[in-house]
Amino acid sequence: MARILSKLVFQVSITMFIDETAEFADIILPDASDLERWEMFPANDPYAFITPGPGKWFWLMRQPVTEPPGQARPWTEVYLELAERLGILDDVYQIGNTFWVLSERYKLEKGKRYTIREIAERQAKTIVGDHFNWDMVKESPCIVTREKTIEEAYPRSFFKAKVPIYFEHFLRAKKEVEKVTEKLGLEWDFAPYSPVPVYIPCPAHSESSDYDLIATNHKLPFHTFSSTAENLWIDEISRGNPYAYYIMIHTSVAKEKGLRDGDKVCVESQYGQKITGRLRVTELVHPNCVAIAGTFGHWAKRMPISRGKGVLYNALLPPPSLERIDTLSGQIDMCVRVRIYRVEE
């Protein structure tokens, strides 16, 4: 990724932190945080998505509790100003009217300049009604619109569509893709194009005496990818969690390899990549696996909260190749065979 970013002729990053991507930027524009900007967030209203179960439809209005520091601005304001300077603001409005599902009365008009707050107000009036005003969100950002109907609370019971068991459209897709790959002279794995489930082992499932474990990656309920790693409060939760920043192996594996809880260890993949971190011995991991949480291991100099904490699982993977990509879904094979051993402090 570093090699790819270094080839860009010009890069602009709008960010709250000078992270690894921003390290390569020619211009960095400071972004406002979630607590420093207006934003319409429909929550569970049918305007956006449906949360099954009885209850009420409601939506939320994100409001700034303080002004952004220094020259920081919400990225949405930056985009609107850029669009205005480029002379395409009316085109952006046209897209916004559709994307935000604004009612006819509250659609953004050509030739006018709206603030983010005014756009959020138009979204709110589209959903709640003409009676919406900002006093309604002073005490609480949550506005209840109405009770759900039985059909909305339990939608599955009222769906008329059938759920297919035999995915015959995969066979049709296979024929179409075959035409393209033959024309381009590409070798293509058509095994995933099966109308019924089939087991297709990834390369890591092949036996190897030297690399005897399989690395697995899992999510943490209090993190969102790597973007929350710099959050001071979430970092405090992570440091208090016994597993978040650790490399995990099963008790029996630790005993067999002479490893102890808290050891500094190296995980080396069959492709030669290595990562180091602290070991957590636990019964929560399958004896054949090494478990690593989240997407940690930040190295950017201006990320003091997250820098050097946890390990970066992706560093174990080889460069992407067609052999490691599922030809049906486009997903990358994240499974890799590894070995683990203690390293000196």
Side-chain angles (χ1 to χ4, degrees):
M1 184 58 72
R3 287 194 298 270
I4 293 170
L5 290 173
S6 64
K7 293 179 180 179
L8 296 178
V9 177
F10 190 76
Q11 177 184 325
V12 178
S13 289
I14 305 176
T15 179
M16 290 189 294
F17 310 107
I18 304 180
D19 56 19
E20 289 79 13
T21 304
E23 291 261 1
F24 292 86
D26 298 279
I27 293 178
I28 299 175
L29 301 178
D31 192 13
S33 77
D34 293 346
L35 300 178
E36 298 165 345
R37 64 174 186 250
W38 293 97
E39 213 157 52
M40 173 63 191
F41 188 76
N44 81 333
D45 194 284
Y47 171 96
F49 51 84
I50 295 176
T51 303
K56 300 176 180 179
W57 289 122
F58 65 91
W59 59 272
L60 302 172
M61 177 67 76
R62 179 179 286 146
Q63 306 164 69
V65 296
T66 185
E67 292 297 316
Q71 294 180 307
R73 298 170 62 192
W75 65 269
T76 43
E77 287 187 10
V78 176
Y79 274 38
L80 287 178
E81 184 172 330
L82 287 175
E84 186 175 33
R85 293 189 185 190
L86 290 169
I88 59 172
L89 188 59
D90 288 343
D91 296 325
V92 172
Y93 286 166
Q94 186 175 356
I95 296 171
N97 288 334
T98 302
F99 182 78
W100 295 314
V101 201
L102 297 180
S103 64
E104 199 63 36
R105 182 175 180 179
Y106 294 110
K107 284 185 176 180
L108 306 179
E109 299 178 31
K110 292 182 178 180
K112 291 190 176 182
R113 182 67 161 90
Y114 298 92
T115 65
I116 298 301
R117 189 175 188 268
E118 289 171 336
I119 294 174
E121 182 178 14
R122 285 171 176 261
Q123 288 178 277
K125 288 188 174 182
T126 294
I127 295 172
V128 180
D130 298 339
H131 64 283
F132 170 82
N133 61 70
W134 292 108
D135 289 335
M136 296 173 66
V137 294
K138 278 186 177 179
E139 298 298 323
S140 170
C142 181
I143 298 295
V144 175
T145 52
R146 61 177 174 81
E147 290 282 344
K148 292 182 183 179
T149 64
I150 294 297
E151 290 82 356
E152 291 169 338
Y154 304 99
R156 181 65 185 88
S157 303
F158 298 92
F159 286 164
K160 302 300 182 183
K162 294 181 179 180
V163 179
I165 297 176
Y166 186 81
F167 284 62
E168 59 187 39
H169 59 282
F170 282 179
L171 297 178
R172 294 194 296 270
K174 178 182 177 181
K175 292 180 180 179
E176 294 300 317
V177 176
E178 277 180 332
K179 294 177 184 177
V180 178
T181 54
E182 288 177 5
K183 184 177 180 180
L184 297 176
L186 289 176
E187 291 187 11
W188 202 259
D189 181 13
F190 287 100
Y193 291 74
S194 171
V196 293
V198 292
Y199 172 66
I200 304 173
C202 62
H205 289 173
S206 60
E207 294 295 330
S208 173
S209 56
D210 294 331
Y211 299 90
D212 55 338
L213 299 170
I214 292 179
T216 61
N217 185 234
H218 59 275
K219 294 182 179 180
L220 295 168
F222 41 86
H223 272 287
T224 302
F225 307 116
S226 64
S227 59
T228 52
E230 189 66 13
N231 185 296
L232 188 67
W233 296 333
I234 299 179
D235 171 63
E236 183 178 350
I237 296 173
S238 302
R239 287 185 284 109
N241 185 282
Y243 308 106
Y245 289 148
Y246 288 84
I247 296 170
M248 302 160 60
I249 61 172
H250 191 267
T251 309
S252 61
V253 178
K255 184 177 180 180
E256 177 187 336
K257 296 181 180 295
L259 299 174
R260 296 182 178 180
D261 203 64
D263 281 351
K264 185 177 181 180
V265 295
C266 176
V267 178
E268 179 182 347
S269 81
Q270 64 191 98
Y271 303 101
Q273 286 86 345
K274 299 178 182 180
I275 56 174
T276 58
R278 292 290 172 183
L279 183 68
R280 178 66 75 217
V281 177
T282 175
E283 299 285 322
L284 298 178
V285 181
H286 192 281
N288 292 340
C289 295
V290 173
I292 298 170
T295 309
F296 300 124
H298 278 285
W299 53 260
K301 301 181 183 66
R302 301 293 184 90
M303 299 188 74
I305 305 301
S306 58
R307 187 182 183 190
K309 291 179 180 174
V311 292
L312 176 59
Y313 179 88
N314 291 359
L316 291 172
L317 304 176
S321 65
L322 193 57
E323 289 73 27
R324 293 186 61 83
I325 295 177
D326 179 72
T327 54
L328 179 65
S329 67
Q331 297 294 314
I332 297 175
D333 182 3
M334 299 292 289
C335 194
V336 62
R337 190 166 283 278
V338 299
R339 60 186 176 188
I340 186 170
Y341 48 87
R342 184 187 294 108
V343 294
E344 297 298 326
E345 295 287 344

